[in-house]
Coordinates of all heavy atoms in Angstrom, one line a residue:
R10 N 0.8 -1.2 0.0 CA 0.0 0.0 0.0 C 0.9 1.3 0.0 O 0.6 2.3 -0.7 CB -0.9 0.0 1.2 CG -1.9 1.2 1.2 CD -2.6 1.4 2.5 NE -3.1 0.1 3.1 CZ -3.7 0.0 4.3 NH1 -3.8 1.2 5.0 NH2 -4.1 -1.1 4.8
Y11 N 1.9 1.3 0.8 CA 2.7 2.5 1.0 C 4.0 2.6 0.2 O 4.6 3.6 0.1 CB 3.0 2.7 2.5 CG 1.8 3.0 3.3 CD1 1.3 2.1 4.2 CD2 1.1 4.2 3.1 CE1 0.1 2.3 4.9 CE2 -0.1 4.4 3.9 CZ -0.5 3.5 4.8 OH -1.7 3.7 5.5
G12 N 4.4 1.4 -0.4 CA 5.6 1.5 -1.2 C 6.9 1.8 -0.4 O 7.1 1.4 0.7
E13 N 7.7 2.7 -1.1 CA 9.0 3.0 -0.5 C 8.9 3.8 0.8 O 9.9 3.9 1.5 CB 9.8 3.7 -1.5 CG 10.2 2.9 -2.8 CD 11.1 3.6 -3.7 OE1 11.3 4.8 -3.4 OE2 11.5 3.1 -4.8
R14 N 7.8 4.3 1.1 CA 7.7 5.1 2.3 C 7.7 4.2 3.6 O 8.0 4.7 4.7 CB 6.3 5.8 2.4 CG 6.2 6.9 1.2 CD 4.8 7.5 1.3 NE 4.6 8.3 2.6 CZ 3.4 8.7 3.0 NH1 2.3 8.4 2.3 NH2 3.3 9.3 4.1
L15 N 7.5 3.0 3.4 CA 7.5 1.9 4.5 C 8.6 0.9 4.2 O 8.6 0.3 3.2 CB 6.2 1.3 4.7 CG 6.2 0.1 5.7 CD1 6.4 0.6 7.1 CD2 4.8 -0.5 5.7
R16 N 9.5 0.8 5.1 CA 10.5 -0.2 5.1 C 10.4 -1.2 6.2 O 10.1 -0.8 7.4 CB 11.9 0.4 5.1 CG 12.3 1.1 3.9 CD 13.8 1.4 3.7 NE 14.2 2.4 4.7 CZ 15.4 2.5 5.2 NH1 16.3 1.6 4.9 NH2 15.7 3.5 6.0
V17 N 10.5 -2.5 6.0 CA 10.3 -3.5 7.0 C 11.7 -4.3 7.1 O 12.2 -4.8 6.1 CB 9.2 -4.5 6.6 CG1 9.1 -5.6 7.7 CG2 7.9 -3.7 6.5
I18 N 12.1 -4.4 8.4 CA 13.3 -5.2 8.7 C 12.9 -6.4 9.5 O 12.1 -6.3 10.5 CB 14.3 -4.4 9.6 CG1 14.7 -3.0 8.8 CG2 15.5 -5.2 9.9 CD1 15.5 -2.1 9.6
H19 N 13.2 -7.6 9.1 CA 12.9 -8.8 9.8 C 14.1 -9.2 10.6 O 15.1 -9.6 10.1 CB 12.5 -9.9 8.8 CG 11.2 -9.6 8.0 ND1 10.0 -9.7 8.6 CD2 11.1 -9.1 6.8 CE1 9.0 -9.3 7.7 NE2 9.7 -9.0 6.5
R20 N 13.9 -9.1 11.9 CA 15.0 -9.6 12.9 C 14.7 -11.0 13.2 O 13.8 -11.4 14.0 CB 14.9 -8.7 14.1 CG 16.0 -8.8 15.0 CD 15.9 -7.9 16.2 NE 17.0 -7.9 17.2 CZ 16.9 -8.0 18.5 NH1 15.7 -7.9 19.0 NH2 18.0 -8.0 19.2
R21 N 15.5 -11.9 12.7 CA 15.2 -13.4 12.8 C 16.0 -14.1 13.9 O 15.5 -15.2 14.3 CB 15.5 -14.1 11.4 CG 14.7 -13.4 10.3 CD 14.8 -14.1 9.0 NE 14.2 -13.4 7.9 CZ 12.9 -13.4 7.6 NH1 12.1 -14.0 8.4 NH2 12.4 -12.7 6.5
E22 N 17.1 -13.5 14.3 CA 17.8 -14.3 15.3 C 18.2 -13.4 16.5 O 18.3 -12.2 16.4 CB 19.2 -14.8 14.7 CG 19.0 -15.7 13.6 CD 20.3 -16.2 13.0 OE1 21.4 -15.7 13.5 OE2 20.3 -17.0 12.1
E23 N 18.3 -14.1 17.6 CA 18.7 -13.3 18.9 C 20.2 -13.0 18.8 O 21.0 -13.8 18.5 CB 18.5 -14.2 20.1 CG 18.8 -13.5 21.4 CD 17.7 -12.5 21.8 OE1 16.6 -12.7 21.4 OE2 18.1 -11.5 22.5
P24 N 20.5 -11.7 19.0 CA 21.9 -11.2 18.8 C 22.7 -11.8 19.9 O 22.3 -12.2 21.0 CB 21.8 -9.7 19.0 CG 20.6 -9.5 19.8 CD 19.6 -10.6 19.3
R25 N 24.0 -11.9 19.7 CA 25.0 -12.4 20.7 C 25.2 -11.4 21.8 O 25.5 -11.8 22.9 CB 26.3 -12.8 20.0 CG 26.2 -14.0 19.0 CD 27.5 -14.3 18.3 NE 27.4 -15.3 17.3 CZ 28.4 -15.8 16.6 NH1 29.6 -15.2 16.8 NH2 28.2 -16.7 15.8
E26 N 25.2 -10.2 21.4 CA 25.4 -9.1 22.4 C 24.3 -9.0 23.4 O 23.2 -8.8 23.0 CB 25.7 -7.7 21.8 CG 26.8 -7.7 20.8 CD 26.4 -8.0 19.4 OE1 25.3 -8.7 19.2 OE2 27.1 -7.7 18.4
R27 N 24.6 -9.1 24.7 CA 23.5 -9.0 25.7 C 22.8 -7.6 25.6 O 21.6 -7.5 25.9 CB 24.1 -9.2 27.1 CG 23.0 -9.2 28.2 CD 23.6 -9.4 29.5 NE 22.5 -9.5 30.6 CZ 22.1 -8.3 31.2 NH1 22.7 -7.2 30.9 NH2 21.2 -8.4 32.1
N28 N 23.6 -6.6 25.3 CA 23.0 -5.3 25.3 C 21.9 -5.1 24.2 O 21.0 -4.2 24.3 CB 24.1 -4.2 25.0 CG 25.1 -4.0 26.1 OD1 25.0 -4.7 27.1 ND2 26.0 -3.2 25.9
L29 N 21.9 -6.0 23.3 CA 20.9 -5.9 22.2 C 19.8 -6.9 22.2 O 19.2 -7.1 21.2 CB 21.6 -6.0 20.8 CG 22.6 -4.8 20.5 CD1 23.3 -5.1 19.2 CD2 21.9 -3.5 20.6
Q30 N 19.5 -7.5 23.4 CA 18.4 -8.4 23.5 C 17.1 -7.5 23.7 O 17.1 -6.4 24.0 CB 18.6 -9.2 24.7 CG 18.6 -8.5 26.1 CD 18.7 -9.5 27.3 OE1 17.9 -10.4 27.3 NE2 19.6 -9.2 28.2
G31 N 16.0 -8.2 23.3 CA 14.7 -7.5 23.5 C 14.5 -6.3 22.6 O 15.0 -6.2 21.6
K32 N 13.7 -5.4 23.1 CA 13.3 -4.2 22.3 C 14.5 -3.3 22.0 O 14.5 -2.7 20.9 CB 12.3 -3.4 23.1 CG 11.7 -2.2 22.4 CD 10.7 -1.5 23.3 CE 10.2 -0.2 22.6 NZ 9.2 0.5 23.5
A33 N 15.4 -3.2 22.9 CA 16.6 -2.4 22.5 C 17.3 -2.8 21.3 O 17.7 -2.0 20.4 CB 17.6 -2.4 23.7
G34 N 17.4 -4.2 21.1 CA 18.0 -4.7 19.9 C 17.2 -4.4 18.6 O 17.7 -4.1 17.6
A35 N 15.9 -4.5 18.8 CA 15.0 -4.1 17.6 C 15.2 -2.6 17.2 O 15.3 -2.3 16.0 CB 13.6 -4.4 18.0
L36 N 15.2 -1.8 18.2 CA 15.4 -0.3 17.9 C 16.7 -0.1 17.3 O 16.9 0.8 16.4 CB 15.2 0.5 19.2 CG 13.8 0.5 19.8 CD1 13.9 1.2 21.2 CD2 12.9 1.2 18.9
H37 N 17.8 -0.8 17.7 CA 19.1 -0.6 17.2 C 19.1 -1.0 15.7 O 19.8 -0.4 14.9 CB 20.1 -1.4 18.0 CG 21.5 -1.0 17.7 ND1 22.1 0.1 18.1 CD2 22.5 -1.7 17.0 CE1 23.4 0.2 17.7 NE2 23.6 -0.9 17.0
C38 N 18.5 -2.1 15.4 CA 18.4 -2.6 14.0 C 17.7 -1.5 13.2 O 18.2 -1.2 12.0 CB 17.5 -3.8 13.9 SG 18.3 -5.3 14.5
G39 N 16.7 -0.9 13.6 CA 16.1 0.2 12.9 C 17.0 1.4 12.8 O 17.1 2.1 11.7
M40 N 17.8 1.8 13.8 CA 18.7 2.9 13.8 C 19.8 2.6 12.7 O 20.2 3.6 12.1 CB 19.3 3.2 15.1 CG 18.3 3.8 16.1 SD 17.7 5.4 15.6 CE 19.2 6.4 15.6
E41 N 20.2 1.4 12.6 CA 21.2 1.1 11.6 C 20.8 1.4 10.2 O 21.6 1.6 9.3 CB 21.7 -0.3 11.8 CG 22.5 -0.6 13.1 CD 22.9 -2.0 13.2 OE1 22.1 -2.9 12.9 OE2 24.1 -2.2 13.7
Q42 N 19.5 1.4 10.0 CA 19.0 1.6 8.6 C 18.4 2.9 8.4 O 18.0 3.3 7.3 CB 17.9 0.5 8.4 CG 18.4 -0.9 8.4 CD 19.4 -1.3 7.3 OE1 19.3 -0.8 6.2 NE2 20.4 -2.0 7.7
A43 N 18.3 3.7 9.5 CA 17.6 5.0 9.4 C 18.4 6.0 8.6 O 19.6 6.1 8.7 CB 17.4 5.6 10.8
R44 N 17.7 6.8 7.8 CA 18.3 7.8 6.9 C 18.0 9.2 7.4 O 18.6 10.2 6.9 CB 17.7 7.6 5.5 CG 17.9 6.3 4.8 CD 17.1 6.2 3.6 NE 17.2 4.9 3.0 CZ 16.3 4.3 2.2 NH1 15.2 5.0 1.9 NH2 16.4 3.1 1.6
G45 N 17.1 9.3 8.4 CA 16.8 10.7 8.9 C 17.8 11.3 9.8 O 18.7 10.6 10.3
E46 N 17.7 12.6 9.9 CA 18.5 13.3 10.9 C 18.0 13.1 12.3 O 18.8 13.2 13.3 CB 18.5 14.8 10.6 CG 19.1 15.1 9.1 CD 18.8 16.5 8.8 OE1 19.3 17.5 9.4 OE2 17.9 16.7 7.8

């Protein structure tokens, strides 16, 4: 429906770093792909 305006990242595995477990890790995945200021 929204095309390029919406990007989806599928986080399929639990990261090895303890700091990136749970929601913090999901947000970090998003930040790594973010293009905004």
Side-chain angles (χ1 to χ4, degrees):
R10 187 192 314 177
Y11 293 111
E13 295 182 357
R14 297 178 62 194
L15 173 63
R16 290 195 286 152
V17 177
I18 301 172
H19 296 282
R20 190 180 184 222
R21 304 188 186 281
E22 297 180 358
E23 184 71 28
R25 295 179 181 179
E26 301 91 338
R27 181 178 182 275
N28 291 0
L29 295 181
Q30 63 177 312
K32 183 180 175 182
L36 292 173
H37 191 74
C38 285
M40 287 298 296
E41 289 179 321
Q42 299 296 322
R44 302 166 182 159
E46 300 167 65

